[in-house]
PDB file of all heavy atoms in Angstrom:
ATOM      1  N   GLY B 951      15.902  -5.741   5.474  1.00 93.00           N
ATOM      2  CA  GLY B 951      15.576  -6.515   4.287  1.00 93.00           C
ATOM      3  C   GLY B 951      14.823  -7.789   4.605  1.00 93.00           C
ATOM      4  O   GLY B 951      13.695  -7.990   4.152  1.00 93.00           O
ATOM      5  N   VAL B 952      15.432  -8.629   5.431  1.00 93.00           N
ATOM      6  CA  VAL B 952      14.848  -9.942   5.711  1.00 93.00           C
ATOM      7  C   VAL B 952      13.591  -9.829   6.570  1.00 93.00           C
ATOM      8  O   VAL B 952      12.546 -10.409   6.256  1.00 93.00           O
ATOM      9  CB  VAL B 952      15.884 -10.852   6.393  1.00 93.00           C
ATOM     10  CG1 VAL B 952      15.244 -12.163   6.825  1.00 93.00           C
ATOM     11  CG2 VAL B 952      17.057 -11.114   5.453  1.00 93.00           C
ATOM     12  N   PHE B 953      13.673  -9.052   7.643  1.00 93.00           N
ATOM     13  CA  PHE B 953      12.549  -9.012   8.577  1.00 93.00           C
ATOM     14  C   PHE B 953      11.466  -8.025   8.149  1.00 93.00           C
ATOM     15  O   PHE B 953      10.288  -8.374   8.095  1.00 93.00           O
ATOM     16  CB  PHE B 953      13.048  -8.695   9.990  1.00 93.00           C
ATOM     17  CG  PHE B 953      13.832  -9.819  10.603  1.00 93.00           C
ATOM     18  CD1 PHE B 953      15.212  -9.841  10.539  1.00 93.00           C
ATOM     19  CD2 PHE B 953      13.180 -10.868  11.225  1.00 93.00           C
ATOM     20  CE1 PHE B 953      15.942 -10.884  11.086  1.00 93.00           C
ATOM     21  CE2 PHE B 953      13.891 -11.923  11.776  1.00 93.00           C
ATOM     22  CZ  PHE B 953      15.272 -11.931  11.701  1.00 93.00           C
ATOM     23  N   SER B 954      11.851  -6.766   7.854  1.00 90.00           N
ATOM     24  CA  SER B 954      10.819  -5.763   7.593  1.00 90.00           C
ATOM     25  C   SER B 954      10.151  -5.938   6.235  1.00 90.00           C
ATOM     26  O   SER B 954       9.066  -5.397   6.005  1.00 90.00           O
ATOM     27  CB  SER B 954      11.407  -4.350   7.692  1.00 90.00           C
ATOM     28  OG  SER B 954      12.216  -4.056   6.579  1.00 90.00           O
ATOM     29  N   VAL B 955      10.778  -6.661   5.317  1.00 86.00           N
ATOM     30  CA  VAL B 955      10.165  -6.903   4.009  1.00 86.00           C
ATOM     31  C   VAL B 955       9.677  -8.348   3.927  1.00 86.00           C
ATOM     32  O   VAL B 955       8.480  -8.623   3.876  1.00 86.00           O
ATOM     33  CB  VAL B 955      11.140  -6.590   2.853  1.00 86.00           C
ATOM     34  CG1 VAL B 955      10.501  -6.927   1.509  1.00 86.00           C
ATOM     35  CG2 VAL B 955      11.543  -5.115   2.880  1.00 86.00           C
ATOM     36  N   ALA B 956      10.595  -9.312   3.918  1.00 85.00           N
ATOM     37  CA  ALA B 956      10.222 -10.703   3.640  1.00 85.00           C
ATOM     38  C   ALA B 956       9.389 -11.336   4.755  1.00 85.00           C
ATOM     39  O   ALA B 956       8.278 -11.818   4.527  1.00 85.00           O
ATOM     40  CB  ALA B 956      11.489 -11.525   3.385  1.00 85.00           C
ATOM     41  N   VAL B 957       9.905 -11.344   5.985  1.00 86.00           N
ATOM     42  CA  VAL B 957       9.181 -11.979   7.086  1.00 86.00           C
ATOM     43  C   VAL B 957       7.872 -11.246   7.373  1.00 86.00           C
ATOM     44  O   VAL B 957       6.827 -11.864   7.608  1.00 86.00           O
ATOM     45  CB  VAL B 957      10.057 -12.034   8.352  1.00 86.00           C
ATOM     46  CG1 VAL B 957       9.261 -12.540   9.543  1.00 86.00           C
ATOM     47  CG2 VAL B 957      11.278 -12.929   8.113  1.00 86.00           C
ATOM     48  N   ALA B 958       7.917  -9.922   7.334  1.00 85.00           N
ATOM     49  CA  ALA B 958       6.709  -9.141   7.607  1.00 85.00           C
ATOM     50  C   ALA B 958       5.625  -9.431   6.578  1.00 85.00           C
ATOM     51  O   ALA B 958       4.440  -9.534   6.929  1.00 85.00           O
ATOM     52  CB  ALA B 958       7.050  -7.649   7.620  1.00 85.00           C
ATOM     53  N   TYR B 959       5.991  -9.558   5.311  1.00 74.00           N
ATOM     54  CA  TYR B 959       4.998  -9.890   4.281  1.00 74.00           C
ATOM     55  C   TYR B 959       4.352 -11.243   4.568  1.00 74.00           C
ATOM     56  O   TYR B 959       3.140 -11.410   4.408  1.00 74.00           O
ATOM     57  CB  TYR B 959       5.643  -9.920   2.895  1.00 74.00           C
ATOM     58  CG  TYR B 959       5.946  -8.566   2.302  1.00 74.00           C
ATOM     59  CD1 TYR B 959       6.748  -8.445   1.178  1.00 74.00           C
ATOM     60  CD2 TYR B 959       5.453  -7.403   2.871  1.00 74.00           C
ATOM     61  CE1 TYR B 959       7.026  -7.208   0.618  1.00 74.00           C
ATOM     62  CE2 TYR B 959       5.737  -6.166   2.337  1.00 74.00           C
ATOM     63  CZ  TYR B 959       6.535  -6.071   1.206  1.00 74.00           C
ATOM     64  OH  TYR B 959       6.805  -4.850   0.676  1.00 74.00           O
ATOM     65  N   LEU B 960       5.163 -12.215   4.983  1.00 77.00           N
ATOM     66  CA  LEU B 960       4.612 -13.538   5.265  1.00 77.00           C
ATOM     67  C   LEU B 960       3.598 -13.473   6.412  1.00 77.00           C
ATOM     68  O   LEU B 960       2.514 -14.054   6.337  1.00 77.00           O
ATOM     69  CB  LEU B 960       5.741 -14.508   5.616  1.00 77.00           C
ATOM     70  CG  LEU B 960       5.309 -15.932   5.974  1.00 77.00           C
ATOM     71  CD1 LEU B 960       4.583 -16.584   4.800  1.00 77.00           C
ATOM     72  CD2 LEU B 960       6.525 -16.764   6.378  1.00 77.00           C
ATOM     73  N   LEU B 961       3.936 -12.742   7.491  1.00 81.00           N
ATOM     74  CA  LEU B 961       3.012 -12.596   8.616  1.00 81.00           C
ATOM     75  C   LEU B 961       1.741 -11.860   8.192  1.00 81.00           C
ATOM     76  O   LEU B 961       0.632 -12.223   8.607  1.00 81.00           O
ATOM     77  CB  LEU B 961       3.698 -11.838   9.755  1.00 81.00           C
ATOM     78  CG  LEU B 961       4.866 -12.559  10.445  1.00 81.00           C
ATOM     79  CD1 LEU B 961       5.564 -11.614  11.420  1.00 81.00           C
ATOM     80  CD2 LEU B 961       4.379 -13.802  11.161  1.00 81.00           C
ATOM     81  N   TRP B 962       1.889 -10.843   7.362  1.00 74.00           N
ATOM     82  CA  TRP B 962       0.738 -10.071   6.896  1.00 74.00           C
ATOM     83  C   TRP B 962      -0.213 -10.934   6.070  1.00 74.00           C
ATOM     84  O   TRP B 962      -1.419 -10.934   6.284  1.00 74.00           O
ATOM     85  CB  TRP B 962       1.221  -8.881   6.083  1.00 74.00           C
ATOM     86  CG  TRP B 962       0.111  -8.015   5.553  1.00 74.00           C
ATOM     87  CD1 TRP B 962      -0.477  -8.089   4.325  1.00 74.00           C
ATOM     88  CD2 TRP B 962      -0.556  -6.963   6.244  1.00 74.00           C
ATOM     89  NE1 TRP B 962      -1.461  -7.142   4.194  1.00 74.00           N
ATOM     90  CE2 TRP B 962      -1.525  -6.432   5.366  1.00 74.00           C
ATOM     91  CE3 TRP B 962      -0.424  -6.412   7.523  1.00 74.00           C
ATOM     92  CZ2 TRP B 962      -2.358  -5.376   5.733  1.00 74.00           C
ATOM     93  CZ3 TRP B 962      -1.245  -5.359   7.880  1.00 74.00           C
ATOM     94  CH2 TRP B 962      -2.198  -4.861   6.985  1.00 74.00           C
ATOM     95  N   TYR B 963       0.340 -11.686   5.131  1.00 69.00           N
ATOM     96  CA  TYR B 963      -0.507 -12.481   4.248  1.00 69.00           C
ATOM     97  C   TYR B 963      -1.157 -13.650   4.964  1.00 69.00           C
ATOM     98  O   TYR B 963      -2.251 -14.076   4.611  1.00 69.00           O
ATOM     99  CB  TYR B 963       0.301 -12.963   3.040  1.00 69.00           C
ATOM    100  CG  TYR B 963       0.733 -11.830   2.161  1.00 69.00           C
ATOM    101  CD1 TYR B 963       2.014 -11.787   1.614  1.00 69.00           C
ATOM    102  CD2 TYR B 963      -0.137 -10.789   1.877  1.00 69.00           C
ATOM    103  CE1 TYR B 963       2.408 -10.741   0.812  1.00 69.00           C
ATOM    104  CE2 TYR B 963       0.257  -9.736   1.091  1.00 69.00           C
ATOM    105  CZ  TYR B 963       1.527  -9.706   0.557  1.00 69.00           C
ATOM    106  OH  TYR B 963       1.913  -8.668  -0.228  1.00 69.00           O
ATOM    107  N   ARG B 964      -0.478 -14.174   5.993  1.00 72.00           N
ATOM    108  CA  ARG B 964      -1.114 -15.212   6.793  1.00 72.00           C
ATOM    109  C   ARG B 964      -2.312 -14.631   7.543  1.00 72.00           C
ATOM    110  O   ARG B 964      -3.348 -15.280   7.688  1.00 72.00           O
ATOM    111  CB  ARG B 964      -0.125 -15.820   7.786  1.00 72.00           C
ATOM    112  CG  ARG B 964      -0.714 -17.025   8.532  1.00 72.00           C
ATOM    113  CD  ARG B 964       0.303 -17.722   9.396  1.00 72.00           C
ATOM    114  NE  ARG B 964       0.735 -16.891  10.504  1.00 72.00           N
ATOM    115  CZ  ARG B 964       1.581 -17.289  11.459  1.00 72.00           C
ATOM    116  NH1 ARG B 964       2.122 -18.499  11.390  1.00 72.00           N
ATOM    117  NH2 ARG B 964       1.922 -16.482  12.442  1.00 72.00           N
ATOM    118  N   GLY B 965      -2.169 -13.377   8.006  1.00 72.00           N
ATOM    119  CA  GLY B 965      -3.289 -12.716   8.652  1.00 72.00           C
ATOM    120  C   GLY B 965      -4.449 -12.503   7.703  1.00 72.00           C
ATOM    121  O   GLY B 965      -5.615 -12.751   8.048  1.00 72.00           O
ATOM    122  N   VAL B 966      -4.154 -12.044   6.482  1.00 64.00           N
ATOM    123  CA  VAL B 966      -5.206 -11.837   5.484  1.00 64.00           C
ATOM    124  C   VAL B 966      -5.910 -13.144   5.168  1.00 64.00           C
ATOM    125  O   VAL B 966      -7.142 -13.204   5.038  1.00 64.00           O
ATOM    126  CB  VAL B 966      -4.606 -11.216   4.205  1.00 64.00           C
ATOM    127  CG1 VAL B 966      -5.624 -11.219   3.070  1.00 64.00           C
ATOM    128  CG2 VAL B 966      -4.128  -9.798   4.482  1.00 64.00           C
ATOM    129  N   GLN B 967      -5.133 -14.220   5.055  1.00 65.00           N
ATOM    130  CA  GLN B 967      -5.702 -15.522   4.713  1.00 65.00           C
ATOM    131  C   GLN B 967      -6.621 -16.048   5.813  1.00 65.00           C
ATOM    132  O   GLN B 967      -7.691 -16.589   5.533  1.00 65.00           O
ATOM    133  CB  GLN B 967      -4.572 -16.518   4.447  1.00 65.00           C
ATOM    134  CG  GLN B 967      -5.054 -17.916   4.080  1.00 65.00           C
ATOM    135  CD  GLN B 967      -3.894 -18.894   3.942  1.00 65.00           C
ATOM    136  OE1 GLN B 967      -2.877 -18.768   4.625  1.00 65.00           O
ATOM    137  NE2 GLN B 967      -4.038 -19.845   3.054  1.00 65.00           N
ATOM    138  N   ARG B 968      -6.237 -15.876   7.075  1.00 71.00           N
ATOM    139  CA  ARG B 968      -6.968 -16.501   8.174  1.00 71.00           C
ATOM    140  C   ARG B 968      -7.973 -15.577   8.862  1.00 71.00           C
ATOM    141  O   ARG B 968      -8.958 -16.049   9.417  1.00 71.00           O
ATOM    142  CB  ARG B 968      -5.971 -17.032   9.210  1.00 71.00           C
ATOM    143  CG  ARG B 968      -5.101 -18.150   8.650  1.00 71.00           C
ATOM    144  CD  ARG B 968      -4.160 -18.704   9.688  1.00 71.00           C
ATOM    145  NE  ARG B 968      -3.367 -19.796   9.142  1.00 71.00           N
ATOM    146  CZ  ARG B 968      -2.390 -20.420   9.795  1.00 71.00           C
ATOM    147  NH1 ARG B 968      -2.089 -20.053  11.027  1.00 71.00           N
ATOM    148  NH2 ARG B 968      -1.714 -21.399   9.219  1.00 71.00           N
ATOM    149  N   LEU B 969      -7.700 -14.267   8.853  1.00 65.00           N
ATOM    150  CA  LEU B 969      -8.591 -13.337   9.539  1.00 65.00           C
ATOM    151  C   LEU B 969      -9.372 -12.441   8.597  1.00 65.00           C
ATOM    152  O   LEU B 969     -10.364 -11.841   9.001  1.00 65.00           O
ATOM    153  CB  LEU B 969      -7.783 -12.456  10.505  1.00 65.00           C
ATOM    154  CG  LEU B 969      -6.976 -13.158  11.592  1.00 65.00           C
ATOM    155  CD1 LEU B 969      -6.274 -12.128  12.466  1.00 65.00           C
ATOM    156  CD2 LEU B 969      -7.856 -14.060  12.435  1.00 65.00           C
ATOM    157  N   GLY B 970      -8.902 -12.315   7.350  1.00 56.00           N
ATOM    158  CA  GLY B 970      -9.541 -11.411   6.412  1.00 56.00           C
ATOM    159  C   GLY B 970      -8.863 -10.054   6.402  1.00 56.00           C
ATOM    160  O   GLY B 970      -8.079  -9.705   7.301  1.00 56.00           O
ATOM    161  N   ASN B 971      -9.159  -9.269   5.369  1.00 49.00           N
ATOM    162  CA  ASN B 971      -8.500  -7.973   5.189  1.00 49.00           C
ATOM    163  C   ASN B 971      -8.788  -6.997   6.326  1.00 49.00           C
ATOM    164  O   ASN B 971      -7.881  -6.342   6.840  1.00 49.00           O
ATOM    165  CB  ASN B 971      -8.944  -7.345   3.866  1.00 49.00           C
ATOM    166  CG  ASN B 971      -8.400  -8.104   2.674  1.00 49.00           C
ATOM    167  OD1 ASN B 971      -7.283  -8.604   2.697  1.00 49.00           O
ATOM    168  ND2 ASN B 971      -9.188  -8.211   1.628  1.00 49.00           N
ATOM    169  N   SER B 972     -10.069  -6.871   6.710  1.00 46.00           N
ATOM    170  CA  SER B 972     -10.444  -5.846   7.678  1.00 46.00           C
ATOM    171  C   SER B 972      -9.803  -6.079   9.041  1.00 46.00           C
ATOM    172  O   SER B 972      -9.226  -5.170   9.640  1.00 46.00           O
ATOM    173  CB  SER B 972     -11.968  -5.786   7.826  1.00 46.00           C
ATOM    174  OG  SER B 972     -12.579  -5.438   6.603  1.00 46.00           O
ATOM    175  N   ARG B 973      -9.897  -7.306   9.540  1.00 55.00           N
ATOM    176  CA  ARG B 973      -9.337  -7.591  10.860  1.00 55.00           C
ATOM    177  C   ARG B 973      -7.811  -7.501  10.847  1.00 55.00           C
ATOM    178  O   ARG B 973      -7.198  -7.094  11.838  1.00 55.00           O
ATOM    179  CB  ARG B 973      -9.775  -8.972  11.340  1.00 55.00           C
ATOM    180  CG  ARG B 973     -11.258  -9.078  11.663  1.00 55.00           C
ATOM    181  CD  ARG B 973     -11.654 -10.495  11.999  1.00 55.00           C
ATOM    182  NE  ARG B 973     -10.970 -10.976  13.196  1.00 55.00           N
ATOM    183  CZ  ARG B 973     -10.965 -12.246  13.575  1.00 55.00           C
ATOM    184  NH1 ARG B 973     -11.586 -13.167  12.836  1.00 55.00           N
ATOM    185  NH2 ARG B 973     -10.342 -12.611  14.661  1.00 55.00           N
ATOM    186  N   THR B 974      -7.194  -7.883   9.745  1.00 60.00           N
ATOM    187  CA  THR B 974      -5.741  -7.775   9.650  1.00 60.00           C
ATOM    188  C   THR B 974      -5.299  -6.325   9.603  1.00 60.00           C
ATOM    189  O   THR B 974      -4.322  -5.928  10.258  1.00 60.00           O
ATOM    190  CB  THR B 974      -5.237  -8.517   8.395  1.00 60.00           C
ATOM    191  OG1 THR B 974      -5.624  -9.882   8.470  1.00 60.00           O
ATOM    192  CG2 THR B 974      -3.720  -8.430   8.289  1.00 60.00           C
ATOM    193  N   ALA B 975      -6.043  -5.511   8.844  1.00 59.00           N
ATOM    194  CA  ALA B 975      -5.660  -4.115   8.658  1.00 59.00           C
ATOM    195  C   ALA B 975      -5.657  -3.335   9.962  1.00 59.00           C
ATOM    196  O   ALA B 975      -4.901  -2.371  10.107  1.00 59.00           O
ATOM    197  CB  ALA B 975      -6.604  -3.448   7.655  1.00 59.00           C
ATOM    198  N   VAL B 976      -6.482  -3.729  10.918  1.00 56.00           N
ATOM    199  CA  VAL B 976      -6.543  -3.021  12.194  1.00 56.00           C
ATOM    200  C   VAL B 976      -5.175  -2.973  12.860  1.00 56.00           C
ATOM    201  O   VAL B 976      -4.801  -1.979  13.495  1.00 56.00           O
ATOM    202  CB  VAL B 976      -7.574  -3.687  13.120  1.00 56.00           C
ATOM    203  CG1 VAL B 976      -7.482  -3.121  14.535  1.00 56.00           C
ATOM    204  CG2 VAL B 976      -8.981  -3.511  12.572  1.00 56.00           C
ATOM    205  N   TYR B 977      -4.394  -4.030  12.697  1.00 66.00           N
ATOM    206  CA  TYR B 977      -3.099  -4.099  13.365  1.00 66.00           C
ATOM    207  C   TYR B 977      -2.118  -3.044  12.864  1.00 66.00           C
ATOM    208  O   TYR B 977      -1.261  -2.582  13.622  1.00 66.00           O
ATOM    209  CB  TYR B 977      -2.484  -5.491  13.186  1.00 66.00           C
ATOM    210  CG  TYR B 977      -3.107  -6.540  14.062  1.00 66.00           C
ATOM    211  CD1 TYR B 977      -4.224  -7.257  13.639  1.00 66.00           C
ATOM    212  CD2 TYR B 977      -2.602  -6.803  15.325  1.00 66.00           C
ATOM    213  CE1 TYR B 977      -4.811  -8.214  14.448  1.00 66.00           C
ATOM    214  CE2 TYR B 977      -3.171  -7.763  16.141  1.00 66.00           C
ATOM    215  CZ  TYR B 977      -4.284  -8.463  15.699  1.00 66.00           C
ATOM    216  OH  TYR B 977      -4.867  -9.405  16.510  1.00 66.00           O
ATOM    217  N   SER B 978      -2.235  -2.643  11.603  1.00 67.00           N
ATOM    218  CA  SER B 978      -1.285  -1.669  11.064  1.00 67.00           C
ATOM    219  C   SER B 978      -1.403  -0.315  11.747  1.00 67.00           C
ATOM    220  O   SER B 978      -0.480   0.494  11.697  1.00 67.00           O
ATOM    221  CB  SER B 978      -1.484  -1.512   9.546  1.00 67.00           C
ATOM    222  OG  SER B 978      -2.724  -0.916   9.263  1.00 67.00           O
ATOM    223  N   ASN B 979      -2.540  -0.053  12.417  1.00 63.00           N
ATOM    224  CA  ASN B 979      -2.689   1.201  13.144  1.00 63.00           C
ATOM    225  C   ASN B 979      -1.723   1.302  14.322  1.00 63.00           C
ATOM    226  O   ASN B 979      -1.453   2.398  14.817  1.00 63.00           O
ATOM    227  CB  ASN B 979      -4.121   1.346  13.670  1.00 63.00           C
ATOM    228  CG  ASN B 979      -5.131   1.553  12.556  1.00 63.00           C
ATOM    229  OD1 ASN B 979      -4.776   1.860  11.433  1.00 63.00           O
ATOM    230  ND2 ASN B 979      -6.391   1.355  12.881  1.00 63.00           N
ATOM    231  N   LEU B 980      -1.197   0.163  14.779  1.00 68.00           N
ATOM    232  CA  LEU B 980      -0.250   0.177  15.892  1.00 68.00           C
ATOM    233  C   LEU B 980       1.160   0.539  15.443  1.00 68.00           C
ATOM    234  O   LEU B 980       1.993   0.917  16.271  1.00 68.00           O
ATOM    235  CB  LEU B 980      -0.218  -1.198  16.568  1.00 68.00           C
ATOM    236  CG  LEU B 980      -1.487  -1.662  17.269  1.00 68.00           C
ATOM    237  CD1 LEU B 980      -1.327  -3.104  17.747  1.00 68.00           C
ATOM    238  CD2 LEU B 980      -1.821  -0.756  18.442  1.00 68.00           C
ATOM    239  N   VAL B 981       1.450   0.436  14.143  1.00 74.00           N
ATOM    240  CA  VAL B 981       2.821   0.641  13.661  1.00 74.00           C
ATOM    241  C   VAL B 981       3.349   2.034  13.980  1.00 74.00           C
ATOM    242  O   VAL B 981       4.453   2.171  14.537  1.00 74.00           O
ATOM    243  CB  VAL B 981       2.918   0.340  12.150  1.00 74.00           C
ATOM    244  CG1 VAL B 981       4.288   0.721  11.611  1.00 74.00           C
ATOM    245  CG2 VAL B 981       2.641  -1.138  11.886  1.00 74.00           C
ATOM    246  N   PRO B 982       2.626   3.126  13.655  1.00 72.00           N
ATOM    247  CA  PRO B 982       3.191   4.449  13.951  1.00 72.00           C
ATOM    248  C   PRO B 982       3.359   4.709  15.442  1.00 72.00           C
ATOM    249  O   PRO B 982       4.267   5.449  15.845  1.00 72.00           O
ATOM    250  CB  PRO B 982       2.178   5.417  13.326  1.00 72.00           C
ATOM    251  CG  PRO B 982       0.923   4.646  13.174  1.00 72.00           C
ATOM    252  CD  PRO B 982       1.354   3.236  12.917  1.00 72.00           C
ATOM    253  N   VAL B 983       2.510   4.123  16.273  1.00 72.00           N
ATOM    254  CA  VAL B 983       2.654   4.296  17.717  1.00 72.00           C
ATOM    255  C   VAL B 983       3.964   3.667  18.180  1.00 72.00           C
ATOM    256  O   VAL B 983       4.747   4.275  18.935  1.00 72.00           O
ATOM    257  CB  VAL B 983       1.453   3.683  18.451  1.00 72.00           C
ATOM    258  CG1 VAL B 983       1.654   3.791  19.959  1.00 72.00           C
ATOM    259  CG2 VAL B 983       0.155   4.349  18.028  1.00 72.00           C
ATOM    260  N   ILE B 984       4.224   2.450  17.729  1.00 76.00           N
ATOM    261  CA  ILE B 984       5.466   1.770  18.090  1.00 76.00           C
ATOM    262  C   ILE B 984       6.668   2.515  17.513  1.00 76.00           C
ATOM    263  O   ILE B 984       7.715   2.653  18.172  1.00 76.00           O
ATOM    264  CB  ILE B 984       5.436   0.312  17.595  1.00 76.00           C
ATOM    265  CG1 ILE B 984       4.356  -0.467  18.365  1.00 76.00           C
ATOM    266  CG2 ILE B 984       6.796  -0.361  17.765  1.00 76.00           C
ATOM    267  CD1 ILE B 984       4.095  -1.848  17.833  1.00 76.00           C
ATOM    268  N   ALA B 985       6.516   3.034  16.297  1.00 75.00           N
ATOM    269  CA  ALA B 985       7.618   3.774  15.673  1.00 75.00           C
ATOM    270  C   ALA B 985       7.945   5.049  16.440  1.00 75.00           C
ATOM    271  O   ALA B 985       9.121   5.395  16.639  1.00 75.00           O
ATOM    272  CB  ALA B 985       7.254   4.110  14.226  1.00 75.00           C
ATOM    273  N   LEU B 986       6.930   5.773  16.880  1.00 72.00           N
ATOM    274  CA  LEU B 986       7.169   6.987  17.662  1.00 72.00           C
ATOM    275  C   LEU B 986       7.863   6.669  18.982  1.00 72.00           C
ATOM    276  O   LEU B 986       8.804   7.354  19.387  1.00 72.00           O
ATOM    277  CB  LEU B 986       5.843   7.699  17.927  1.00 72.00           C
ATOM    278  CG  LEU B 986       5.317   8.643  16.833  1.00 72.00           C
ATOM    279  CD1 LEU B 986       3.966   9.207  17.252  1.00 72.00           C
ATOM    280  CD2 LEU B 986       6.301   9.769  16.566  1.00 72.00           C
ATOM    281  N   LEU B 987       7.395   5.619  19.657  1.00 75.00           N
ATOM    282  CA  LEU B 987       8.009   5.231  20.928  1.00 75.00           C
ATOM    283  C   LEU B 987       9.458   4.799  20.732  1.00 75.00           C
ATOM    284  O   LEU B 987      10.345   5.157  21.519  1.00 75.00           O
ATOM    285  CB  LEU B 987       7.203   4.104  21.571  1.00 75.00           C
ATOM    286  CG  LEU B 987       5.812   4.485  22.094  1.00 75.00           C
ATOM    287  CD1 LEU B 987       5.071   3.238  22.568  1.00 75.00           C
ATOM    288  CD2 LEU B 987       5.918   5.503  23.220  1.00 75.00           C
ATOM    289  N   THR B 988       9.709   4.017  19.662  1.00 79.00           N
ATOM    290  CA  THR B 988      11.071   3.561  19.389  1.00 79.00           C
ATOM    291  C   THR B 988      11.992   4.730  19.076  1.00 79.00           C
ATOM    292  O   THR B 988      13.136   4.803  19.564  1.00 79.00           O
ATOM    293  CB  THR B 988      11.076   2.567  18.218  1.00 79.00           C
ATOM    294  OG1 THR B 988      10.171   1.497  18.486  1.00 79.00           O
ATOM    295  CG2 THR B 988      12.472   2.003  17.995  1.00 79.00           C
TER     296      THR B 988
END
């Protein structure tokens, strides 16, 4: 609840604000890789 929703949203929106949508979106491609490894 706290980390995967609230904290994660804050980190995501800070990325959108400072790097823009395209550069921020690239990072989400790493999520399934980390999920598979975990």
Side-chain angles (χ1 to χ4, degrees):
V952 174
F953 290 96
S954 74
V955 177
V957 173
Y959 285 168
L960 178 61
L961 293 172
W962 180 265
Y963 294 138
R964 187 174 67 177
V966 170
Q967 180 185 32
R968 295 182 178 175
L969 302 181
N971 291 324
S972 298
R973 291 174 63 192
T974 301
V976 170
Y977 284 88
S978 67
N979 291 345
L980 295 174
V981 173
V983 176
I984 293 172
L986 276 178
L987 291 174
T988 305

